[in-house]
Amino acid sequence: LNRTAIDADHEFEARHGRKIAEVFAKEGEEHFRDLERSLLLDLLDLPQIVLATGGGAVLHPEFRGKLGGRFTIWLHAPLPLLAQRIDGSDRPSLTEDAGLRELEIVLEKRKTLYQHVATQTINADQPLPQIVDTIAARWHDRLNWRNER
């Protein structure tokens, strides 16, 4: 894609010198979301990037607004696969529930937001090289479409 790849979660931890789970545990989700919003808005000002956000990025109206007109992908995966991927991680809990039930609750709250901001939805229930190839193909299709106009 000829862009700099940035992972917002890694940038958050580098900027703040702490793990996201630690910020959640010590200052709470609201404080984390404030810090996250500020970081995301800063990152969107950088030129020529591919930004991987955490799933909660869509919770920030200001951030969603800045996504308008940008090539934005929702990597959609079945809940059991998502549960498998985060099992054993230090990801903070977002509800009173755990595991698959928590993911169901969170997705129910965010699904409409994901659909609203995404210009593309890609099935993430496939090997990583195939996901990357799909993203690259859709990016090139977009560039070709823009050049034809």
Side-chain angles (χ1 to χ4, degrees):
L1 303 179
N2 200 23
R3 302 281 187 268
T4 300
I6 299 174
D7 182 294
D9 288 349
H10 292 155
E11 286 293 317
F12 181 95
E13 292 178 353
R15 179 183 281 195
H16 297 287
R18 300 184 290 165
K19 295 279 195 185
I20 291 170
E22 181 183 343
V23 174
F24 252 80
K26 292 186 176 175
E27 283 107 37
E29 182 177 1
E30 185 175 339
H31 181 71
F32 165 74
R33 296 292 176 205
D34 288 342
L35 296 173
E36 178 187 50
R37 181 190 54 76
S38 176
L39 172 72
L40 291 168
L41 293 173
D42 288 350
L43 293 174
L44 277 184
D45 286 338
L46 298 174
Q48 306 290 311
I49 66 165
V50 172
L51 179 59
T53 68
V58 296
L59 299 174
H60 307 290
E62 190 176 1
F63 180 72
R64 289 193 313 268
K66 284 189 84 168
L67 289 177
R70 296 177 189 247
F71 185 72
T72 306
I73 299 169
W74 174 24
L75 294 174
H76 182 268
L79 292 176
L81 178 60
L82 293 176
Q84 179 184 0
R85 288 181 179 170
I86 65 171
D87 186 43
S89 73
D90 65 353
R91 180 191 151 285
S93 181
L94 301 174
T95 69
E96 301 272 328
D97 295 284
L100 195 56
R101 179 65 188 134
E102 178 178 64
L103 290 173
E104 290 171 348
I105 293 167
V106 170
L107 182 60
E108 182 64 32
K109 290 179 182 176
R110 297 179 182 174
K111 184 176 183 177
T112 302
L113 298 173
Y114 293 148
Q115 291 169 333
H116 177 74
V117 301
T119 58
Q120 302 283 320
T121 300
I122 294 175
N123 176 15
D125 186 11
Q126 52 191 326
L128 184 58
Q130 190 172 345
I131 294 170
V132 171
D133 288 347
T134 301
I135 292 170
R138 295 211 187 157
W139 172 253
H140 291 293
D141 287 348
R142 179 178 188 256
L143 290 179
N144 291 336
W145 178 81
R146 291 175 85 187
N147 289 335
E148 291 173 1
R149 293 184 79 178

